[in-house]
Amino acid sequence: MATPDGTPASGSSDARRSLASSLSGGLAGTAGAAVGLGFGELMEGAFESIPSLVVAVSELLSDYTPGDVVRFSIANFGASQKTLLTVGIVIGSLAVGGLLGVFAARKQPRATISGFAVFGLIAGWCAARNPLSPVLGSWLVGLTAAAAACATTLLLARLAASPRIAAAAAGDSLRSSGQAAELGREESLQLQQQPPPSGADSALMAAASSPSDASPDGQSQQQTSPSSTDPALMAAATSSSPSDASLQQPPPSSTGAPSDSSDSSDTSVGRQLPLSSTDPAYSADPVAATNPTTPDQAPQQTQTQDSSPPGTEPSTEPVTTASTGSRRAFFAYAGGAGAAALAMVGLGRALRGQSAAEQFLETNTLRPAAAPTTTAAATSTTAAPAATSTIAIADTAPATTVAPATTAAPTAAVAEQLAALRTLDSEVTGISSYVTPNDRFYRIDTAFGRVPQIDPAGWRLRFTGMVDNPYELTFDEIQAMDLSDHVITLSCVSNEVGGNLVGNAVWTGIPLSVLLDRAGVQPGADQVVGRSVDDWTAGFPTPVVYDGRNAILAIGMNNEFLPTDHGFPARLVVAGLYGYVSAVKWLDEIHLTTWDGFDGYWVPRGWSKEGPMKTQSRIDVPGGGDTLRAGETVPIAGIAWAPTRGIERVEVNIDEEGWQTCELGEALGDESWVQWHHAWTPAEGRHRIQVRATDGDGATQSSRQVSPAPNGAEGWHTVNVNVAA
């Protein structure tokens, strides 16, 4: 908004300056926060034991997020939930950094320093609480990152608050009003082109232009504004023209001492009274023309030409040139800070290299498991079936013998059985393969960023709690045992009906019953708790280990050592239980306790303490929304699972016309899923397909829709397809 005389309103200019200052401060704080985050990533790459600060904060939020929120995120985002949380933390950190930068721009550095100090304390604490991180090093990295962020913010905010950038903000305000700057330049050019006034005009004009006030420093003003010019004298100076009433007021820049040289015949309407070419104020330079000085004032006036006396309107061209350079410098420094942050992230990734775990996996292969033996279990089973009954723990460990019932001759190795198995892998395009490849096996855990990287040379598995003989095992000792293979399906309790959080793999390991027998389970120890190196826990009933199912300490997956994403060097695999109560990865400890004495990680967050897997089935092909061709026979196919019970029958229902039995593929035991298919020749139109399974106990899936929380989803998987002519 402008005043009636065309000058910008001071309130509007102040508001624009304040906005410009806040934006500059916000940019400074954002750049500072980026530097702090980048430093954290650099340290994470340089030191394997130091976690990323972003990851450390993500883990904290994950641990303390309410169960309902976690269930919602898993149901809607699946494995992407962790990525979204991490990205959200980065964006939130940059936003808070921007806010702290605004405080710095408003001359409140204490608020900025305090805010970043809190950031550092939170980051240091989050990093230090990770069991794999050194406490002192984590605190140092968190606080140093915050200090770097704070220093960068304050330096950029100081640069943004420099006088030249402030003048630039003011100049932008003036130009946005479209008034003062253009008038000043145009009038200066007019003054240079017009002859000086007559003697009378000169005298009157000199009187009219005499200052009425002194400048703030006590010196007389050399410039005046229209509001300080005497109207009577101005009228007298221009009264020789009959159209004086229509004369315009002199613009703010047409002031100065008149000259003796004159041209009395020039009395045109609206004529501007020029300065004398011999006057020090008369110059081709617009700034010199509007800022006349005496020789002894020149140096001071040159320094302060961007701060005009009250009531005057200086030209802004030289100010804009200088301030534009300052603004460019500010943006250059801010951009440089951002580039440095990105460079630190990249350098951290480059420095990370291979961990000891990755190097081991690259240079070592899993020893093939021995062929399993067929064991006729007694009424009370004390050893898992399909496992050897005697193990030797290294050279110095005593042999532990479990007395089974009668033992028959060894059967073919699992690898040989799989090769001879009639699966639907090659018969039905699009069906889930019988064995899920490692890189396609679902992953759900609480690890953010890089999963735990454990050097097998220094790793120990401890057996603690209510046992008679607590002991430890090294990775070499476990490898030296008689390993066995087991095909077992695992599923996440968060898996929706028809979801993909399920997989079937060949797991290589040692029966957990053998390891617990060596420890000597005490009476009353009715819960087995697994604890990972990152302190995640899960617990299940001790009788599960001895009820005939396969419950194993696994070190291999699909004939390879466990990938780091799936728990290297060792994990628990228990057939028939959801992963949240059993499948502990990156295993560090097996602890025996009472059922009421401990709750695993997910139990306090609203999930059931017991997690038996429910019977489920899924349609893989055709997919929902697919378009088929009428009259062409196509397969309806998928998988079904009910570990420990097995699948007896799978049926499909098309358009509510009745259930039709499907053909089942072969499976290695009741603990793995089965493939199924049904040939269908569709007619034109839209069709609805449903599937249900009946387990080995004769229980058929219910149509009742149940959400995953708190103990697993229920219902029939349904897809709709279109059939074109």
Side-chain angles (χ1 to χ4, degrees):
M1 181 178 293
T3 59
D5 60 1
T7 61
S10 60
S12 177
S13 298
D14 291 343
R16 288 190 176 93
R17 290 191 188 96
S18 178
L19 177 60
S21 175
S22 297
L23 292 177
S24 299
L27 179 58
T30 301
V35 168
L37 295 176
F39 178 80
E41 296 301 308
L42 176 62
M43 293 297 99
E44 189 261 351
F47 303 98
E48 186 175 319
S49 60
I50 300 292
S52 160
L53 299 180
V54 173
V55 167
V57 174
S58 299
E59 291 173 342
L60 174 72
L61 293 180
S62 176
D63 288 346
Y64 290 98
T65 299
D68 291 341
V69 177
V70 174
R71 287 193 291 269
F72 173 83
S73 64
I74 293 176
N76 290 275
F77 305 114
S80 300
Q81 58 167 328
K82 289 186 285 190
T83 300
L84 293 175
L85 177 59
T86 302
V87 171
I89 289 173
V90 172
I91 294 175
S93 299
L94 295 177
V96 174
L99 178 62
L100 296 177
V102 172
F103 284 114
R106 293 179 179 178
K107 311 299 184 184
Q108 300 178 39
R110 290 185 179 179
T112 302
I113 295 172
S114 299
F116 279 113
V118 172
F119 254 74
L121 292 172
I122 293 175
W125 174 57
C126 290
R129 64 189 289 272
N130 188 318
L132 300 177
S133 305
V135 175
L136 180 59
S138 299
W139 277 104
L140 285 176
V141 170
L143 294 175
T144 304
C150 184
T152 302
T153 300
L154 293 177
L155 288 174
L156 290 175
R158 178 176 297 181
L159 179 62
S162 66
R164 288 184 173 182
I165 293 184
D172 288 342
S173 298
L174 294 175
R175 284 190 298 276
S176 66
S177 67
Q179 297 289 330
E182 288 298 325
L183 285 174
R185 283 193 291 271
E186 293 176 1
E187 291 160 1
S188 296
L189 292 175
Q190 291 176 3
L191 290 175
Q192 298 174 37
Q193 297 171 0
Q194 293 179 2
S198 63
D201 288 348
S202 177
L204 290 173
M205 200 62 191
S209 302
S210 61
S212 58
D213 295 301
S215 66
D217 59 1
Q219 297 177 350
S220 297
Q221 298 276 7
Q222 297 291 330
Q223 301 172 339
T224 63
S225 67
S227 61
S228 63
T229 303
D230 189 326
L233 293 177
M234 290 299 298
T238 57
S239 61
S240 58
S241 172
S243 57
D244 287 345
S246 64
L247 292 180
Q248 300 174 353
Q249 279 193 341
S253 60
S254 58
T255 60
S259 171
D260 290 339
S261 61
S262 63
D263 184 359
S264 59
S265 63
D266 191 351
T267 59
S268 61
V269 176
R271 175 176 59 83
Q272 308 298 320
L273 300 180
L275 300 172
S276 169
S277 60
T278 61
D279 193 288
Y282 185 88
S283 170
D285 185 348
V287 175
T290 56
N291 293 275
T293 63
T294 59
D296 58 334
Q297 293 173 320
Q300 177 183 1
Q301 201 68 347
T302 300
Q303 288 182 328
T304 62
Q305 60 182 348
D306 57 343
S307 300
S308 305
T312 65
E313 201 65 57
S315 171
T316 60
E317 188 67 28
V319 173
T320 301
T321 302
S323 60
T324 299
S326 297
R327 279 185 296 172
R328 288 176 179 172
F330 167 73
F331 285 117
Y333 281 117
L342 293 176
M344 286 189 284
V345 173
L347 182 58
R349 297 291 185 270
L351 290 175
R352 175 182 291 177
Q354 279 191 321
S355 66
E358 291 168 334
Q359 292 175 7
F360 177 90
L361 293 175
E362 189 176 89
T363 57
N364 292 271
T365 57
L366 179 66
R367 176 172 58 85
T373 57
T374 303
T375 302
T379 304
S380 177
T381 304
T382 58
T388 54
S389 60
T390 302
I391 61 172
I393 304 176
D395 294 336
T396 59
T400 300
T401 303
V402 178
T406 58
T407 302
T411 60
V414 170
E416 297 176 8
Q417 296 179 53
L418 282 174
L421 201 65
R422 178 184 169 272
T423 68
L424 303 182
D425 292 1
S426 59
E427 296 182 22
V428 180
T429 302
I431 196 172
S432 298
S433 60
Y434 180 69
V435 174
T436 308
N438 291 354
D439 59 356
R440 291 171 53 192
F441 204 94
Y442 80 96
R443 177 193 159 201
I444 293 290
D445 49 57
T446 59
F448 285 81
R450 199 181 196 189
V451 299
Q453 305 291 310
I454 303 168
D455 184 352
W459 174 79
R460 300 287 187 276
L461 175 60
R462 299 174 293 133
F463 290 82
T464 63
M466 298 175 64
V467 295
D468 296 328
N469 306 301
Y471 70 101
E472 295 182 350
L473 286 176
T474 67
F475 191 63
D476 287 341
E477 289 172 339
I478 295 174
Q479 288 189 84
M481 296 179 181
D482 290 331
L483 304 176
S484 56
D485 290 333
H486 309 274
V487 183
I488 301 174
T489 295
L490 296 183
S491 177
C492 179
V493 69
S494 299
N495 195 39
E496 298 280 353
V497 172
N500 59 2
L501 301 181
V502 60
N504 193 49
V506 180
W507 305 96
T508 303
I510 306 297
L512 192 54
S513 60
V514 173
L515 301 176
L516 293 186
D517 284 345
R518 178 184 175 184
V521 179
Q522 296 176 355
D526 51 5
Q527 181 177 196
V528 179
V529 176
R531 185 181 301 274
S532 71
V533 295
D534 62 358
D535 222 24
W536 190 85
T537 57
F540 53 91
T542 305
V544 165
V545 178
Y546 297 100
D547 68 1
R549 76 183 73 199
N550 281 308
I552 66 173
L553 172 70
I555 63 171
M557 180 180 183
N558 293 335
N559 303 314
E560 300 176 357
F561 282 112
L562 290 170
T564 53
D565 278 354
H566 293 289
F568 180 82
R571 66 174 293 166
L572 292 178
V573 175
V574 182
L577 297 183
Y578 284 119
Y580 82 103
V581 295
S582 63
V584 182
K585 298 187 283 189
W586 313 293
L587 193 62
D588 176 69
E589 177 186 10
I590 295 177
H591 184 79
L592 276 295
T593 184
T594 63
W595 185 249
D596 296 328
F598 185 84
D599 288 333
Y601 180 89
W602 286 112
V603 176
R605 291 165 174 80
W607 297 85
S608 297
K609 188 159 184 173
E610 295 188 68
M613 289 175 62
K614 298 179 179 180
T615 302
Q616 285 287 338
S617 54
R618 184 180 77 195
I619 300 171
D620 288 339
V621 290
D626 283 359
T627 298
L628 309 177
R629 188 173 297 277
E632 292 185 0
T633 300
V634 296
I636 302 174
I639 53 175
W641 61 96
T644 71
R645 302 179 302 279
I647 295 296
E648 178 182 298
R649 182 175 62 255
V650 175
E651 302 166 288
V652 294
N653 188 355
I654 304 170
D655 298 330
E656 304 293 339
E657 293 179 354
W659 293 99
Q660 304 176 59
T661 302
C662 302
E663 180 181 346
L664 302 182
E666 293 182 347
L668 285 185
D670 291 340
E671 296 176 346
S672 77
W673 67 25
V674 299
Q675 299 167 309
W676 57 267
H677 80 102
H678 173 76
W680 177 46
T681 304
E684 182 180 356
R686 184 171 176 83
H687 301 276
R688 185 187 190 202
I689 307 171
Q690 295 175 304
V691 64
R692 71 182 184 184
T694 300
D695 65 24
D697 292 339
T700 301
Q701 283 181 264
S702 169
S703 62
R704 184 171 63 102
Q705 295 295 315
V706 176
S707 64
N711 57 8
E714 297 179 25
W716 297 337
H717 187 210
T718 303
V719 298
N720 294 292
V721 297
N722 299 307
V723 179

